[in-house]
Amino acid sequence: MKRINYLLGLVLMMVAAVSCNEEFDVPPIVVPQAEHQANMKIAEFKAKYWQDTRNFIDTCKEEVYIHGYVTSSDAAGNIYKYLFIEDETGGIGISIDASSLSTNYRVGQEVVLCMKDKWIGKYNGQYLIGKPEYYEAQSVWESGRLSLETFQSMVEVNGLPKPDMIKALPTKITDFQGKSDKDTQLKYSGKLVKLQNVKWAEADGVTPYSEADASSNRTLEDEDGNQVTVVNSNYATFRAAMLPLGNGDVTGILTMTGSDQWKLYIRDTDDCEGFSTDTK
């Protein structure tokens, strides 16, 4: 009997020890806090360094901090080596030579960027934070990809992701299409927008978002026939999915190309809402 009691007591001690370890092994949630606060809005920063040329690069020599919430995601593979952020005044893209950025910078994550001695410019018309890169074919400097190490040295993460902070701007195709003036580009370039009551011109119950051998341009059209090109990567996880039928709303990030044409990038198929899936 003494042996049974001894063994029973030993088992109870082990259970208690395991319970205590389970309580103390749970790591606390660490909420990151940025050391600096923004002292310039994104719209002001973009306007300050704006140049009309298609390719350029400039260096910020002031103690400038901008902040924004991440609006992009590369989780589905349609946006690659870019991070887009925006505050209440506008959006901007950051060119980074790294993939899987959404692992550490999720949609709704607030970040603060130290821009002193860093660069902003254009790459074939697209306004970006990047690094100096020489384009020999046209003998111009442009905004190339930052190394991940450089980006990490200039970014501070603030708080936990707040996806509810991200609200796409309701936009009509006519608000930007056919317009390449400074004001329109500053407002819409790098901005998350929502196009309402549009259809996929190529949707026929068969055509996918992208062909397998290369990225594909697809077309969104409003009820008046106005159109905008949507670029879908052949590496996107939804590449082979059928373009949705009917009319609906599409959310995406607007960018400008060197041919003064606007293009839209969706993050995944959740950016397409209200469409019909009936292929009859």
Side-chain angles (χ1 to χ4, degrees), residues 45-200:
F45 180 69
K46 289 169 65 176
K48 183 178 181 66
Y49 290 93
W50 174 266
Q51 292 185 25
D52 289 326
T53 183
R54 181 176 298 182
N55 299 78
F56 81 93
I57 195 74
D58 201 352
T59 304
C60 176
K61 292 296 186 181
E62 305 168 275
E63 290 279 356
V64 172
Y65 291 89
I66 61 173
H67 92 110
Y69 292 90
V70 175
T71 58
S72 61
S73 173
D74 58 6
N78 199 46
I79 295 176
Y80 183 62
K81 293 190 175 183
Y82 288 106
L83 193 70
F84 289 88
I85 66 171
E86 62 181 59
D87 63 10
E88 67 275 17
T89 68
I92 193 166
I94 310 162
S95 183
I96 309 168
D97 192 15
S99 57
S100 301
L101 292 168
S102 60
T103 301
N104 296 313
Y105 309 102
R106 299 186 178 186
V107 172
Q109 177 63 64
E110 184 183 14
V111 296
V112 179
L113 297 179
C114 174
M115 292 306 304
K116 184 178 181 182
D117 297 327
K118 298 303 186 291
W119 312 275
I120 184 169
K122 287 183 186 177
Y123 173 80
N124 194 29
Q126 186 176 349
Y127 207 16
L128 295 166
I129 293 171
K131 73 168 186 179
E133 192 170 275
Y134 190 68
Y135 183 32
E136 292 187 3
Q138 294 187 10
S139 300
V140 293
W141 286 91
E142 61 187 10
S143 185
R145 297 194 190 280
L146 293 166
S147 69
L148 181 59
E149 292 74 19
T150 300
F151 175 69
Q152 290 173 334
S153 72
M154 59 190 287
V155 65
E156 297 176 0
V157 175
N158 191 48
L160 299 177
K162 300 176 182 178
D164 291 342
M165 292 291 296
I166 305 304
K167 304 293 183 183
L169 178 68
T171 306
K172 297 179 181 179
I173 295 177
T174 52
D175 289 339
F176 57 85
Q177 195 60 280
K179 302 175 184 178
S180 59
D181 59 281
K182 174 184 175 180
D183 290 342
T184 303
Q185 290 196 53
L186 288 175
K187 180 177 181 178
Y188 290 107
S189 180
K191 182 70 177 174
L192 186 72
V193 301
K194 175 176 281 191
L195 304 179
Q196 299 174 309
N197 194 28
V198 293
K199 67 178 181 180
W200 294 92

Side-chain angles (χ1 to χ4, degrees), residues 199-248:
K199 67 178 181 180
W200 294 92
E202 296 86 0
D204 55 7
V206 177
T207 302
Y209 279 91
S210 176
E211 305 304 326
D213 57 347
S215 296
S216 302
N217 289 339
R218 301 299 188 226
T219 308
L220 283 177
E221 184 175 295
D222 66 17
E223 57 186 354
D224 296 319
N226 301 296
Q227 298 181 337
V228 62
T229 296
V230 183
V231 182
N232 296 322
S233 172
N234 58 315
Y235 291 103
T237 57
F238 56 85
R239 178 209 69 78
M242 181 191 73
L243 286 172
L245 301 172
N247 285 43

